[in-house]
PDB file of all heavy atoms in Angstrom:
ATOM      1  N   LYS H 478     -21.323  56.108  53.112  1.00 93.00           N
ATOM      2  CA  LYS H 478     -22.701  55.742  53.470  1.00 93.00           C
ATOM      3  C   LYS H 478     -22.740  54.503  54.361  1.00 93.00           C
ATOM      4  O   LYS H 478     -23.817  53.982  54.645  1.00 93.00           O
ATOM      5  CB  LYS H 478     -23.505  55.451  52.197  1.00 93.00           C
ATOM      6  CG  LYS H 478     -23.824  56.685  51.383  1.00 93.00           C
ATOM      7  CD  LYS H 478     -24.743  56.296  50.214  1.00 93.00           C
ATOM      8  CE  LYS H 478     -24.386  57.054  48.953  1.00 93.00           C
ATOM      9  NZ  LYS H 478     -24.677  56.298  47.737  1.00 93.00           N
ATOM     10  N   GLY H 479     -21.563  54.035  54.748  1.00 92.00           N
ATOM     11  CA  GLY H 479     -21.533  52.849  55.604  1.00 92.00           C
ATOM     12  C   GLY H 479     -21.552  51.544  54.827  1.00 92.00           C
ATOM     13  O   GLY H 479     -21.684  50.468  55.410  1.00 92.00           O
ATOM     14  N   LEU H 480     -21.431  51.647  53.511  1.00 92.00           N
ATOM     15  CA  LEU H 480     -21.415  50.438  52.697  1.00 92.00           C
ATOM     16  C   LEU H 480     -19.976  49.977  52.443  1.00 92.00           C
ATOM     17  O   LEU H 480     -19.032  50.735  52.639  1.00 92.00           O
ATOM     18  CB  LEU H 480     -22.111  50.711  51.358  1.00 92.00           C
ATOM     19  CG  LEU H 480     -23.614  50.972  51.458  1.00 92.00           C
ATOM     20  CD1 LEU H 480     -24.139  51.609  50.189  1.00 92.00           C
ATOM     21  CD2 LEU H 480     -24.363  49.664  51.753  1.00 92.00           C
ATOM     22  N   GLN H 481     -19.838  48.746  52.025  1.00 95.00           N
ATOM     23  CA  GLN H 481     -18.507  48.200  51.747  1.00 95.00           C
ATOM     24  C   GLN H 481     -18.325  47.959  50.237  1.00 95.00           C
ATOM     25  O   GLN H 481     -19.285  48.049  49.476  1.00 95.00           O
ATOM     26  CB  GLN H 481     -18.324  46.888  52.508  1.00 95.00           C
ATOM     27  CG  GLN H 481     -18.274  47.071  54.010  1.00 95.00           C
ATOM     28  CD  GLN H 481     -18.384  45.741  54.722  1.00 95.00           C
ATOM     29  OE1 GLN H 481     -19.484  45.247  54.938  1.00 95.00           O
ATOM     30  NE2 GLN H 481     -17.250  45.149  55.073  1.00 95.00           N
ATOM     31  N   ALA H 482     -17.103  47.654  49.864  1.00 95.00           N
ATOM     32  CA  ALA H 482     -16.829  47.475  48.431  1.00 95.00           C
ATOM     33  C   ALA H 482     -15.642  46.548  48.195  1.00 95.00           C
ATOM     34  O   ALA H 482     -14.809  46.344  49.077  1.00 95.00           O
ATOM     35  CB  ALA H 482     -16.563  48.831  47.782  1.00 95.00           C
ATOM     36  N   TYR H 483     -15.618  45.985  46.968  1.00 95.00           N
ATOM     37  CA  TYR H 483     -14.475  45.183  46.511  1.00 95.00           C
ATOM     38  C   TYR H 483     -13.710  45.960  45.444  1.00 95.00           C
ATOM     39  O   TYR H 483     -14.309  46.680  44.637  1.00 95.00           O
ATOM     40  CB  TYR H 483     -14.945  43.897  45.823  1.00 95.00           C
ATOM     41  CG  TYR H 483     -15.728  42.943  46.653  1.00 95.00           C
ATOM     42  CD1 TYR H 483     -17.119  42.965  46.626  1.00 95.00           C
ATOM     43  CD2 TYR H 483     -15.084  41.972  47.418  1.00 95.00           C
ATOM     44  CE1 TYR H 483     -17.860  42.048  47.359  1.00 95.00           C
ATOM     45  CE2 TYR H 483     -15.817  41.045  48.146  1.00 95.00           C
ATOM     46  CZ  TYR H 483     -17.205  41.094  48.116  1.00 95.00           C
ATOM     47  OH  TYR H 483     -17.931  40.181  48.826  1.00 95.00           O
ATOM     48  N   TRP H 484     -12.421  45.764  45.420  1.00 95.00           N
ATOM     49  CA  TRP H 484     -11.588  46.283  44.329  1.00 95.00           C
ATOM     50  C   TRP H 484     -10.810  45.090  43.798  1.00 95.00           C
ATOM     51  O   TRP H 484      -9.943  44.547  44.483  1.00 95.00           O
ATOM     52  CB  TRP H 484     -10.638  47.362  44.858  1.00 95.00           C
ATOM     53  CG  TRP H 484      -9.829  48.020  43.767  1.00 95.00           C
ATOM     54  CD1 TRP H 484      -8.770  47.483  43.118  1.00 95.00           C
ATOM     55  CD2 TRP H 484     -10.034  49.331  43.218  1.00 95.00           C
ATOM     56  NE1 TRP H 484      -8.296  48.371  42.188  1.00 95.00           N
ATOM     57  CE2 TRP H 484      -9.051  49.526  42.227  1.00 95.00           C
ATOM     58  CE3 TRP H 484     -10.956  50.363  43.456  1.00 95.00           C
ATOM     59  CZ2 TRP H 484      -8.944  50.697  41.489  1.00 95.00           C
ATOM     60  CZ3 TRP H 484     -10.843  51.524  42.720  1.00 95.00           C
ATOM     61  CH2 TRP H 484      -9.860  51.691  41.739  1.00 95.00           C
ATOM     62  N   VAL H 485     -11.155  44.660  42.585  1.00 93.00           N
ATOM     63  CA  VAL H 485     -10.546  43.437  42.055  1.00 93.00           C
ATOM     64  C   VAL H 485      -9.404  43.782  41.103  1.00 93.00           C
ATOM     65  O   VAL H 485      -9.570  44.597  40.190  1.00 93.00           O
ATOM     66  CB  VAL H 485     -11.583  42.575  41.310  1.00 93.00           C
ATOM     67  CG1 VAL H 485     -10.937  41.290  40.802  1.00 93.00           C
ATOM     68  CG2 VAL H 485     -12.752  42.255  42.226  1.00 93.00           C
ATOM     69  N   CYS H 486      -8.259  43.191  41.338  1.00 89.00           N
ATOM     70  CA  CYS H 486      -7.069  43.488  40.540  1.00 89.00           C
ATOM     71  C   CYS H 486      -6.936  42.505  39.393  1.00 89.00           C
ATOM     72  O   CYS H 486      -7.420  41.392  39.454  1.00 89.00           O
ATOM     73  CB  CYS H 486      -5.834  43.438  41.421  1.00 89.00           C
ATOM     74  SG  CYS H 486      -5.933  44.742  42.633  1.00 89.00           S
ATOM     75  N   PRO H 487      -6.243  42.964  38.369  1.00 79.00           N
ATOM     76  CA  PRO H 487      -6.248  42.179  37.124  1.00 79.00           C
ATOM     77  C   PRO H 487      -5.610  40.824  37.252  1.00 79.00           C
ATOM     78  O   PRO H 487      -4.707  40.592  38.044  1.00 79.00           O
ATOM     79  CB  PRO H 487      -5.435  43.042  36.159  1.00 79.00           C
ATOM     80  CG  PRO H 487      -4.605  43.899  37.029  1.00 79.00           C
ATOM     81  CD  PRO H 487      -5.425  44.162  38.242  1.00 79.00           C
ATOM     82  N   LEU H 488      -6.114  39.997  36.396  1.00 63.00           N
ATOM     83  CA  LEU H 488      -5.563  38.664  36.252  1.00 63.00           C
ATOM     84  C   LEU H 488      -4.341  38.782  35.354  1.00 63.00           C
ATOM     85  O   LEU H 488      -4.403  39.337  34.274  1.00 63.00           O
ATOM     86  CB  LEU H 488      -6.625  37.819  35.568  1.00 63.00           C
ATOM     87  CG  LEU H 488      -6.249  36.418  35.206  1.00 63.00           C
ATOM     88  CD1 LEU H 488      -6.387  35.548  36.439  1.00 63.00           C
ATOM     89  CD2 LEU H 488      -7.158  35.923  34.110  1.00 63.00           C
TER      90      LEU H 488
END
Side-chain angles (χ1 to χ4, degrees):
K478 288 186 219 150
L480 293 164
Q481 293 168 276
Y483 298 96
W484 185 285
V485 182
C486 295
L488 175 81

